[in-house]
Structure formats: C-alpha cells, structure tokens
Amino acid sequence: MSLLIRNGIVINTEPDVRVHRGTDVLITGGAIAAVGPDLPADGAEVIDATGQIVLPGFVDTHRHVWQSVLRSVSADATLGDYLAIVLGRLAPAFRPEDVYAANLWGAIEALNAGITTVYDWSHIQLTPAHTDAAVEGLRDSGARVVFAYAHPGTDDASRDQAEARRVFARHFPSGDSGLVTPAFAAWGPVYGSVEAAVADWRLARELGLRISLHATGEEPVERLHAVGLLGPDVMFVHANGFTDRSMKMVADSGGSASVAPAVESQMGHGSPETGRLRGFGIPTGLGVDTVAAVPGDMFGVMRAALAAARLRHFEDGVGTRPTAADILRMATIEGAAALGMDDRIGSLCPGKRADLVMLDTDLPNLAPAHDPIGAVVTAADVSDVDTVIVGGEVVKRGGRLVRADLPRALDLARRSGERLLPAAV
C-alpha cells in the first residue's frame, strides 16, 4: 500500500538541514518514492500533515534496551553506582522472560518518542535463552533495531565465540533479517586483554559485522591502533577524555562515535565530546544509553547535547559550536552514518526506507513554529509526536500507538520490573 503525506512542514537532513513548507512525501513499497509539492495521490492513502512537522525518524546510536524495566532506578547514581546497582545486582536477576519483556517495551518506548532506529548494545547474555529472548522481543516491537551482541562477561574467560556464532547463525542466517540487523558489541581492550580484543575483532570482521565499544580516557584508541584494529567499521561510545591524537586516529581510520550527553553529564563520565568529535570530522550520533538514569526520548538528548557542547565552547573554547541544525543532523542522518546505515535511513531522500515522524505544531509548546528546526531541537517533546512510520508502516497515529498488544506488553514490563526491583536494594 502507498501513503501520501500531504502538505507538511518537511524537514530534510540531506545534503543539509532544510525546511520545505507545503510539501508532500509519497511512500511506496516501504520506501520514500518522492518528495515535493502537490504530488498525485494515485490511489494512495492520504495523511493530512497540514500544520505538522514531518522529518526523518530519530536514530538512537546507543541504548541498553533491556534496562527499560529499570526506569529511573539510578537517577542519582554516579557511573560507579550504576555499575554496582544495575550491572552488579539487577542484571543477574533477569530471567529470559524479563529480557523479552524489557526489549519489547524498550523498543516500543522508542517508537512512541519518534525514534525509529535503535542501536541495542546488548549485554544481558546470561544464557543462550536470554539472548534468544532479547532478539525476539526486538523483532516483536516493530522498530528498526541493530542488535549488537556482547559476550556474557567482561573477562577473557567469559568470551564465548561458539555462542556468538550460534546467535548470528540462528537469528541472522543471511546477515540481515528485516527490521532487526546484527552487530558486535565488543568489551575490549577497555575490559579484558588486547589478545581477546583481537579475537573479537577477527570474529566480527569474518562475519561482516560492525563493531561498537565503550571507550573513555587516553588509552583505548591507541591500544587498538597498536594492533591494527581501527577501521571504518568501529564506533566508539562516549569518547570522554580522548586526546587530540586519539581523535585524529579515529578520524583517519574512518571510524565513528556515539555520544550520550545526558548520561555522561549526569553520571560523571566527563564533559560530552560532541564538539570535539565533530571538529575532527568524525561522524557522531546521539544515544540515550540507559533509561535507568535519563529519559528515553531524543528530545532530551538533543537538548543535553546542544547545551553541553555550547557551554564547553563558550567557557573553554573547546570544539565546534553546534547549531540546532547540527544537533538535528546528529539525531538523524549523522547518527545513521555512525551506524553505517545512511544509505538506508536518516533523511527523506527518495529511495530510502520510509522511517519518519510527524510532530503536531498546534500544541502549546510548539506553536507558533517560526523556526521548525529550532522548535524540534529546543521545544518539542514526546507529547508532540503525532505519527510514526517505520518502513512504510504506521506504528503511531493521532498520538497513539496502533498496536493491539500494547496492554500485554505493558503488563509484561510491569511484572518484570516489580519482580526485579528488590534486587536493587
């Protein structure tokens, strides 16, 4: 079926961020077929977008989706507290059914907020059944998700390459499985030895998987560089405290980055490196990271990124001074580039998958929308998300998710959360 989004305030992000008023978007076969004024309907279902901002779906480049049922349990936590509470005490209490419930609910939460693509850095592989449940929860959500598999533990002995091969062979036999696609979430060399990191990189590259790792401080990039592991398939998460030399190494290798400015500021990782990363020409996306500490929408993340980067630039002269348009690019096309998916998502160019969001500008916090780009970044919130489309399928319409099993998903998430939370004490 074809859809025609009629007469919207369209924001496209490629080749740069521009506003096109009174513009239509035609969707055919799950892809964007045309963008322009007064497009012929030719039998398509018409969605009236008058007074609505139409833009690409947001791309969350780093989230631990399984933590959705742990919402706000570490709101006051430092990074050390979070590691002790969430990973140390709560994670071991998860059953496979809890992982399913959490991944289903976490991905639905993202869709509700207009996030159509989520990079799930999954480190809840307690057993093969946990991993299978994680993938199934994501598949049942209807979101576009990159499932990044992490070994069960951070030490060398916990690296189980046979299990990793089983997961990818079972769930992604052709390397791509509809809306859910695979990647590799690497622990090392930040956690574990360089030798283990080399083995992980070799496995990921043998399977054709992009690699993501948490990395802060002066050493991780240099250690990877020393053993020849840098490359355009590597995404660094956080990057707080990277030296200029490290930044240049990443840039020269074609690597990318994901910044989680809300979590990094709140938990004490260090100043978000948004401006410095982009100043070195490194494709940089934005991530929620964990709803155990921060909101699960991209609006709050964009505001945190804009405020942190501009404050650092003004006070210390560090990095570039981003505009609202820069931040919106990071939340869409630049985030897609960081994931190696900018040929498919991140903009409203014909030929790309039809992942988009519509925001209602008749609501108090958005009206009047003099500057739609500035309004999206500085004023919008989840309540403004009227319609969300993924691959041409409407998943939210008129401000409500259109899935029959929403009560079931909510019930599963609540039951898991109530059972798990005593383990936090």
Side-chain angles (χ1 to χ4, degrees):
M1 184 182 71
S2 297
L3 292 174
L4 180 64
I5 299 171
R6 177 74 80 189
N7 195 38
I9 305 167
V10 172
I11 302 176
N12 205 351
T13 54
E14 192 178 12
D16 52 16
V17 181
R18 293 188 182 182
V19 176
H20 307 273
R21 296 180 183 271
T23 298
D24 305 340
V25 179
L26 177 64
I27 298 169
T28 303
I32 297 169
V35 179
D38 302 318
L39 296 177
D42 291 334
E45 176 191 346
V46 177
I47 299 177
D48 184 7
T50 302
Q52 298 205 345
I53 296 172
V54 182
L55 71 157
F58 297 119
V59 179
D60 180 349
T61 56
H62 182 73
R63 186 188 297 224
H64 305 298
V65 181
W66 64 270
Q67 295 175 13
S68 71
V69 295
L70 307 179
R71 188 174 315 282
S72 304
V73 300
S74 58
D76 299 322
T78 64
L79 176 58
D81 297 334
Y82 161 82
L83 294 174
I85 296 169
V86 175
L87 298 188
R89 295 204 288 273
L90 286 165
F94 270 70
R95 305 165 302 180
E97 53 263 46
D98 298 316
V99 176
Y100 174 86
N103 271 18
L104 174 63
W105 190 243
I108 289 173
E109 172 190 11
L111 289 175
N112 187 58
I115 297 171
T116 53
T117 298
V118 179
Y119 188 102
D120 179 20
W121 212 99
S122 183
H123 53 349
I124 190 65
Q125 326 306 340
L126 304 182
T127 68
H130 285 75
T131 306
D132 294 341
V135 176
E136 289 170 19
L138 297 175
R139 281 222 175 95
D140 288 349
S141 73
R144 192 178 303 280
V145 182
V146 179
F147 174 74
Y149 173 90
H151 286 305
T154 60
D155 58 297
D156 287 12
S158 297
R159 286 168 161 81
D160 187 345
Q161 296 210 354
E163 170 59 10
R165 288 181 182 277
R166 181 200 72 84
V167 170
F168 294 120
R170 173 177 175 175
H171 294 289
F172 309 99
S174 62
D176 194 333
S177 182
L179 291 176
V180 182
T181 55
F184 195 88
W187 287 113
V190 179
Y191 305 95
S193 68
V194 171
E195 291 74 20
V198 170
D200 286 344
W201 256 251
R202 184 180 298 121
L203 173 64
R205 286 173 172 163
E206 175 195 333
L207 298 175
L209 303 175
R210 295 178 66 89
I211 305 155
S212 171
L213 74 154
H214 297 84
T216 58
E218 299 182 3
E219 296 183 2
V221 175
E222 285 83 349
R223 293 172 72 186
L224 290 173
H225 173 73
V227 289
L229 297 184
L230 295 179
D233 54 352
V234 181
M235 181 174 70
F236 292 88
V237 178
H238 302 311
N240 310 95
F242 274 19
T243 64
D244 285 354
R245 183 169 181 265
S246 292
M247 293 278 187
K248 188 174 187 307
M249 286 179 177
V250 175
D252 290 346
S253 72
S256 62
S258 173
V259 176
V263 158
E264 291 161 15
S265 299
Q266 191 161 318
M267 289 191 182
H269 292 61
S271 297
E273 299 287 10
T274 312
R276 288 185 64 223
L277 287 162
R278 298 187 82 247
F280 276 89
I282 299 169
T284 305
L286 299 175
V288 166
D289 199 334
T290 174
V291 299
V294 300
D297 64 88
M298 193 57 68
F299 303 107
V301 171
M302 287 192 291
R303 285 192 270 279
L306 181 65
R310 289 176 71 91
L311 176 63
R312 195 169 186 201
H313 178 82
F314 288 137
E315 289 196 339
D316 303 323
V318 173
T320 60
R321 186 181 76 188
T323 64
D326 293 331
I327 298 299
L328 186 57
R329 277 185 58 84
M330 294 177 68
T332 53
I333 187 64
E334 197 168 329
L339 302 183
M341 299 176 70
D342 51 321
D343 60 332
R344 287 164 278 171
I345 60 170
S347 74
L348 300 182
C349 294
K352 291 199 175 183
R353 304 311 299 164
D355 294 1
L356 51 88
V357 59
M358 297 166 57
L359 307 179
D360 188 350
T361 65
D362 290 335
L363 298 177
N365 55 309
L366 278 184
H370 299 298
D371 176 359
I373 297 167
V376 171
V377 175
T378 67
D381 62 35
V382 175
S383 68
D384 304 309
V385 178
D386 179 90
T387 301
V388 179
I389 299 173
V390 181
E393 296 292 326
V394 177
V395 298
K396 185 176 183 179
R397 189 192 296 264
R400 299 182 67 85
L401 292 163
V402 293
R403 46 186 306 134
D405 66 341
L406 191 61
R408 168 183 170 269
L410 174 58
D411 181 63
L412 291 174
R414 280 179 170 161
R415 288 175 181 271
S416 286
E418 289 168 359
R419 190 191 70 80
L420 290 161
L421 259 294
V425 179

